[in-house]
């Protein structure tokens, strides 16, 4: 990622990025960092989150954060429909899997597939996710899924591990600064 950013800066290029976001706290640092180098559209696709009130609360926090933060390049948000059936169909049979296991892998794939497909349909240069900022998420696995989907859909995936370089620490600071709601579970009924 850093090499790509450096090359684009030398060439004076500001590519478009479709950024999947799971929540405002996770996206805070990612947006702060990447908005210097990309025109960003945040894709809030999270059919795993339940109940619906929780989903809406997180979505509204994402919108509030984007409206309150200052960015070098534009940041907008694309709303998605909320349909938990997509998630439950995806993880059927994996309900008893431990947190971080096969169920989570399927969930990452579901959300990144939707992001890659949307990035391709709307002509974005890149797609990425905020999921790699969490110390509880496997960045290597998420990046493998993203790269596979990038090849499948023909759109570049921006590999990342946003928790590095104090990224997670910075997200905590920004969450306090913007008084963001910080949930105590991933979002799915199984993690709750």
């Amino acid at each position: 990622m850093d090499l790509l950013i450096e090359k684009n800066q030398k060439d004076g290029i500001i590519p478009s990025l479709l950024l999947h976001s799971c929540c405002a706290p996770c996206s805070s640092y990612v947006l702060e960092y990447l908005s210097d180098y990309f025109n960003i559209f945040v894709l809030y696709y999270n059919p795993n989150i339940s109940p619906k009130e929780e989903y809406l609360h997180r979505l509204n926090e994402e919108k509030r954060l984007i409206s309150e933060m200052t960015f070098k390049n534009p940041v907008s948000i694309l709303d998605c429909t909320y349909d938990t059936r997509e998630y439950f169909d995806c993880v059927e049979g994996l309900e008893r899997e431990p947190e971080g296991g096969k169920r989570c892998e399927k969930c990452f794939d579901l959300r990144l597939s939707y992001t890659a497909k949307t990035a391709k349909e709307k002509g974005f240069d890149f797609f990425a996710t905020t999921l790699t900022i969490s110390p509880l998420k496997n960045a290597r696995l998420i990046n493998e899924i993203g790269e596979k989907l990038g090849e499948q859909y023909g759109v570049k995936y921006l590999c990342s591990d946003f928790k590095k370089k104090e990224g997670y620490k910075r997200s905590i600071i920004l969450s306090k600064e913007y008084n963001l709601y910080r949930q105590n579970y991933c979002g799915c009924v199984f993690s709750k």
Side-chain angles (χ1 to χ4, degrees):
M1 179 176 66
D2 292 333
L3 294 174
L4 171 72
I5 287 171
E6 187 178 312
K7 181 185 181 316
N8 286 343
Q9 282 191 296
K10 284 181 184 176
D11 296 341
I13 297 171
I14 302 173
S16 60
L17 172 68
L18 185 61
L19 178 67
H20 166 263
S21 174
C22 55
C23 64
C26 287
S27 68
S28 61
Y29 165 74
V30 177
L31 290 173
E32 178 184 68
Y33 176 66
L34 291 181
S35 67
D36 283 351
Y37 312 107
F38 294 89
N39 292 321
I40 302 173
F41 284 81
V42 172
L43 183 71
Y44 192 80
Y45 175 70
N46 297 294
N48 57 307
I49 297 174
S50 66
K52 186 172 186 174
E53 294 75 22
E54 178 74 14
Y55 172 87
L56 292 172
H57 189 71
R58 292 185 193 195
L59 173 60
N60 289 330
E61 283 292 274
E62 185 75 40
K63 290 178 177 179
R64 182 175 67 82
L65 175 68
I66 291 169
S67 72
E68 291 178 8
M69 280 186 87
T70 302
F71 305 109
K72 180 178 177 182
N73 292 303
V75 174
S76 304
I77 187 165
L78 296 175
D79 253 339
C80 298
T81 59
Y82 176 69
D83 185 354
T84 57
R85 286 177 300 174
E86 295 170 349
Y87 170 71
F88 287 113
D89 288 349
C90 175
V91 301
E92 186 175 357
L94 301 171
E95 296 85 356
R96 296 191 186 274
E97 278 286 310
E99 191 72 13
K102 288 288 183 192
R103 185 182 63 248
C104 294
E105 184 177 338
K106 295 285 280 184
C107 182
F108 299 153
D109 190 78
L110 172 69
R111 293 186 283 167
L112 285 174
S113 291
Y114 187 90
T115 307
K117 180 182 177 198
T118 304
K120 177 67 175 178
E121 288 172 354
K122 297 193 178 290
F124 283 92
D125 298 313
F126 293 90
F127 75 101
T129 182
T130 62
L131 289 167
T132 65
I133 199 165
S134 172
L136 302 175
K137 303 282 186 280
N138 183 334
R140 181 192 54 76
L141 173 63
I142 293 165
N143 285 322
E144 286 173 5
I145 293 168
E147 287 182 322
K148 173 194 75 156
L149 292 167
E151 288 177 19
Q152 179 181 335
Y153 286 98
V155 64
K156 296 176 208 155
Y157 175 73
L158 186 65
C159 278
S160 64
D161 191 346
F162 291 117
K163 66 183 141 288
K164 295 195 173 184
K165 298 182 186 176
E166 305 286 318
Y168 179 71
K169 185 177 179 181
R170 179 70 180 148
S171 75
I172 293 171
I173 292 167
L174 288 168
S175 292
K176 288 179 184 172
E177 183 179 326
Y178 287 94
N179 193 32
L180 296 175
Y181 165 65
R182 291 185 63 87
Q183 61 280 354
N184 61 2
Y185 69 104
C186 167
C188 77
V189 67
F190 308 109
S191 67
K192 189 173 184 181

